[in-house]
Every structure is written in C-alpha cells, then in structure tokens.
C-alpha cells in the first residue's frame, strides 16, 4: 500500500540504538506461582499498594485487545493520551531538525508538545467545513516531516473527517499519521482502528477521559503496528500506569454498558441543547457535532462568555482560534446543567 514507508528511517537514531531501562518487574515476571519478592526494594507491609504496577499492563491490554480484535502487542498505554502523544514526538522527531503538521482549529496539545520538543509545527488550516485540505497538507510535507495529526472527531469543531480525505493523507504521506479519536465513542462513524493493518503508518489514539468518564485516572491508549509500539515501549517510563488506574480501568472496560448508557443520554442532551440554541437571537450558527460538545457561533463570543461566567457557567471561548471567530464551545452536561445553561442564555437574550 505504502511503498516508501520505512519505520527504520523515521525513528530517531538514539531511540533506535537505545537499550531500554530494565525494571525489577521486567526482569522477573510472575507466572502466578506464589513467590517471595525481594527484588524491587518495596516495603513488604500494607499490602494493597505496596508493590510496583505491572509495567506492561498485561491484564488491561488483554481486555482491550479482545474488545478491539487486535493483539496486546499493538497497544501502548499512557498517563493520558497526552503522554502517548509526547512519546510519539520523542521517538520520531529530532529536535531542531524535524517538523510535524497540524490542522487548526484543533486540539492545542499538538502545538504545545511540538514547542516542548523543539519541533517545527506546520499549520495547514482546515477548510470551511472543517475538513482537511489534502493537497495543501501534502504540499507542506518535506523530507523532515515525521508526523501529521488528524483529530477526528475534531476538537473544537466537533465534526469527523471524511474517509476520502483521511485515506488520501494515509496513502500520500510516508511518515506517521496520528488519528486522535478522543471522542470516537460519541460518534456513529467507525474507528480507524479497523484500518490499522491496512496502513502501516497509522497510529490511532483513544482515551478513557471522555465517554468513559475517567479523566481523573489518566489513561490514554495508543494503537499501532507491533513495530511502532515496540519503539514507543522502549522510551516509556517503566511504571507509567499506576495500580489504581489499572484496576479502575479494568473495571470500567469490563462494565462498558455504563459507557453506552452515558453516551446515549449525552447524545440526547446534545440534540435538545442544539434545538434550544436555535431559538436564541444572538446564536448565529450551531455546528454539527459527533462529540460531547457543541461549537456555537454567537454575536460577541467574549462578551457572552463573560456574561455566562457571571451566571456561574463556564463555557470555552474558542473565538481566538482560526475559523472559530465568534465561537463558544459548550460541553454537554447533565440534564439539569444544560437546562441552567439554556435559562442563562435566554436571560442574556434581550
Ligand atoms: C480531551 C482530549 C484528549 C484527552 O487527553 P487525555 O490526556 O487522554 O485526557 C485527547 N485528544 C483530544 C483531541 C481531546 O480533546
């Protein structure tokens, strides 16, 4: 499919040559036999959390792998997607030399991580419908372009990218394409995970922070080929997913009927909120959303944002983002929270 894709030429030299740190728990893995653990300088008392977590999170990955129909070796877990994204930068982008492409308006972390890692960020704006401009993107690529970030459904616009454009980027770019699917559980569109074995340059990221309602535990998921995952594994902090997070995530994944229930309610609330917003005089446009938020164009975004604050409601003012002039972003709350939002917006409409 992607003839010129060559992982060995993308990875940073120092990472390719790196012998990863080998932790106590890497060197001896329990097979379930009762053992006396005197290898990791742990305190032997208070036995719920006294042991280091499984550095490879095997139980958690096994559940994810079976739910997604892939292998555990195609999964890397991070302390939030933010850690996953940072590992991708550090594995592939040579500071002060390489560059990445992002498609504003989009998630702010790609920029922040590029700056932290001293990587040039080339921004190619989305089109008027918030879809990627494939030709402009491929024109921006040079020999040092390592990564292209696609966020779909996109934050803050809420829409998903069309299949045709995404495929054209996957096929036309010989570096890595990261599709950030933080909001995929709210979307009726299929995850790009099912195409992971078709495109060897595809990385899909997901998170338990949004639909799963577990932003507090910090669990981000990276799906990619075994070859990509093993590179990222070399540079991840050994015990990056703590015991409490692994246990909570396991429970949540096993009981994912809660997820479907929550998503159904949130989508119904999104529909109601969109309907109510149409009756507000200063609302100029409500953008279609595949996520748990609505981007809404109003007459004076910053003024409306401040009026809402005075009424005790915190929205997100996105009006300084390109293509988001006059726009506020509303996360879908509970039924009563959304009612209060509507009441407040109506009071301001006079
Ligand atoms: C919220 C969000 C995330 C989540 O990041 P975590 O670190 O997993 O909480 C990732 N990507 C996008 C686009 C988001 O909006």
């Amino acid at each position: 499919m992607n003839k010129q894709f060559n992982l060995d030429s993308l990875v940073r030299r120092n990472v390719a040559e790196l012998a990863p740190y080998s932790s106590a728990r890497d060197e001896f893995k329990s097979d379930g036999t009762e053992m006396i653990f005197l290898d990791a300088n742990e305190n032997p008392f208070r036995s719920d959390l006294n042991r280091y977590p499984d550095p490879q999170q095997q139980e958690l990955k096994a559940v994810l792998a079976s739910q997604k129909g892939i292998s555990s070796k195609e999964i890397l877990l991070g302390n939030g997607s933010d850690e996953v994204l940072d590992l991708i930068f550090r594995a592939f982008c040579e500071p002060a030399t390489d560059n990445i492409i992002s498609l504003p308006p989009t998630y702010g972390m790609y920029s922040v991580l590029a700056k932290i890692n001293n990587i040039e960020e080339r921004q190619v704006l989305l089109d008027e419908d918030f879809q990627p401009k494939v030709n402009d993107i491929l024109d921006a690529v040079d020999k040092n372009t390592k990564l292209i970030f696609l966020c779909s459904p996109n934050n803050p616009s809420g829409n998903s990218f069309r299949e045709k454009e995404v495929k054209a980027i996957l096929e036309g770019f010989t570096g890595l394409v990261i599709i950030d699917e933080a909001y995929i559980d709210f979307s009726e569109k299929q995850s790009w995970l099912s195409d992971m074995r078709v495109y060897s340059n595809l990385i899909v990221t997901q998170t338990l922070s949004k639909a799963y309602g577990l932003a507090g535990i910090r669990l981000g998921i990276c799906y990619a080929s075994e070859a990509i995952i093993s590179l990222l594994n070399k540079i991840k902090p050994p015990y990056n997913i703590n015991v409490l997070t692994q246990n909570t995530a396991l429970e949540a994944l096993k009981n994912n009927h809660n997820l479907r229930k929550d998503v159904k309610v949130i989508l119904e609330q999104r529909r109601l909120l969109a309907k109510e917003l149409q009756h507000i005089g200063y609302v100029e446009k409500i953008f279609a959303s595949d996520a748990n938020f609505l981007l809404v164009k109003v007459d004076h975004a910053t003024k409306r944002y401040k009026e809402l604050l005075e009424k005790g409601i915190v929205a997100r003012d996105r009006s300084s983002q390109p293509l988001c002039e006059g726009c506020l972003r509303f996360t879908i709350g509970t039924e009563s929270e959304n009612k209060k939002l509507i009441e407040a917006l109506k009071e301001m409409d006079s």
Side-chain angles (χ1 to χ4, degrees):
M1 173 70 43
N2 213 315
K3 287 197 196 65
Q4 301 140 282
F5 174 74
N6 178 354
L7 194 59
D8 294 336
S9 72
L10 287 174
V11 66
R12 289 170 67 194
R13 269 310 100 212
N14 62 316
V15 173
E17 288 164 7
L18 179 78
Y21 172 74
S22 181
S23 69
R25 217 31 77 244
D26 283 314
E27 289 181 9
F28 181 85
K29 289 194 183 81
S30 171
D31 62 359
T33 318
E34 198 70 16
M35 301 297 272
I36 297 170
F37 286 104
L38 303 177
D39 57 348
N41 298 348
E42 296 149 335
N43 179 331
F45 306 117
R46 276 177 253 287
S47 59
D48 271 349
L49 292 170
N50 64 324
R51 299 292 175 192
Y52 279 103
D54 172 6
Q56 284 303 323
Q57 311 97 22
Q58 298 181 67
E59 225 186 319
L60 191 46
K61 283 182 186 169
V63 173
L64 276 170
S66 94
Q67 290 185 353
K68 304 290 180 181
I70 58 168
S71 150
S72 287
K73 293 185 174 147
E74 294 166 310
I75 304 174
L76 175 117
L77 302 177
N79 183 16
S81 333
D82 292 345
E83 184 182 54
V84 167
L85 297 172
D86 187 51
L87 290 172
I88 296 170
F89 267 93
R90 289 198 284 144
F92 297 103
C93 298
E94 195 59 39
T97 303
D98 288 335
N99 67 77
I100 62 118
I101 296 177
S102 70
L103 316 181
T106 194
Y107 187 44
M109 270 315 275
Y110 315 137
S111 268
V112 171
L113 290 170
K115 288 194 183 88
I116 291 172
N117 288 289
N118 195 16
I119 303 300
E120 180 197 347
E121 179 194 22
R122 300 187 171 179
Q123 301 192 327
V124 181
L125 292 194
L126 295 170
D127 72 13
E128 307 271 277
D129 299 321
F130 296 121
Q131 292 292 329
K133 295 192 273 194
V134 176
N135 291 337
D136 292 2
I137 293 166
L138 296 180
D139 281 348
V141 170
D142 69 12
K143 67 176 192 351
N144 291 319
T145 306
K146 294 293 185 72
L147 314 172
I148 298 180
F149 288 91
L150 308 182
C151 183
S152 181
N154 186 44
N155 176 7
S157 56
N159 64 298
S160 301
F161 294 160
R162 283 187 298 258
E163 199 176 308
K164 180 166 165 275
E165 278 84 350
V166 174
K167 283 193 170 164
I169 295 166
L170 282 163
E171 283 164 17
F173 177 52
T174 54
L176 295 163
V177 178
I178 295 96
I179 306 188
D180 183 339
E181 293 189 333
Y183 299 98
I184 192 68
D185 300 304
F186 298 106
S187 171
E188 279 166 16
K189 308 257 167 23
Q190 212 190 0
S191 165
W192 281 92
L193 197 49
S194 49
D195 281 43
M196 204 174 74
R197 290 182 180 158
V198 179
Y199 299 103
S200 46
N201 61 339
L202 171 59
I203 297 178
V204 175
T205 63
Q206 296 181 358
T207 178
L208 297 203
S209 294
K210 305 290 156 65
Y212 279 88
L214 291 172
I217 72 169
R218 312 304 300 129
L219 191 80
I221 310 163
C222 175
Y223 300 103
S225 70
E226 233 184 282
I228 294 172
I229 293 298
S230 65
L231 285 173
L232 297 175
N233 249 325
K234 278 172 93 167
I235 65 168
K236 83 169 184 67
Y239 302 115
N240 62 331
I241 312 297
N242 69 65
V243 171
L244 299 172
T245 295
Q246 293 193 38
N247 292 343
T248 310
L250 258 176
E251 279 304 298
L253 290 169
K254 287 179 180 164
N255 298 305
N256 63 5
H257 52 270
N258 286 335
L259 164 91
R260 286 194 291 275
K261 216 167 55 193
D262 288 356
V263 166
K264 205 169 150 229
V265 173
I266 289 167
L267 294 185
E268 174 60 10
Q269 285 296 312
R270 188 184 72 196
R271 193 185 64 79
L272 291 173
L273 180 62
K275 203 173 108 194
E276 293 286 341
L277 285 167
Q278 286 171 359
H279 302 301
I280 292 173
Y282 56 83
V283 167
E284 296 175 7
K285 185 162 184 181
I286 304 149
F287 293 89
S289 172
D290 262 342
N292 64 334
F293 56 83
L294 285 172
L295 186 71
V296 179
K297 188 169 192 310
V298 295
D299 56 350
H300 298 290
T302 305
K303 174 177 151 226
R304 300 301 179 185
Y305 169 80
K306 286 184 186 147
E307 288 173 350
L308 276 172
L309 273 188
E310 276 160 27
K311 294 176 180 293
I313 296 174
V314 191
R316 194 89 198 263
D317 182 357
R318 297 282 76 187
S319 59
S320 64
Q321 298 288 303
L323 304 171
C324 295
E325 293 82 18
C327 288
L328 297 178
R329 192 191 68 195
F330 298 112
T331 304
I332 310 301
T334 63
E335 181 178 4
S336 89
E337 289 171 338
N338 301 331
K339 275 192 175 142
K340 286 181 187 141
L341 170 64
I342 287 295
E343 258 167 53
L345 290 169
K346 280 182 178 160
E347 283 167 19
M348 288 151 49
D349 195 8
S350 49

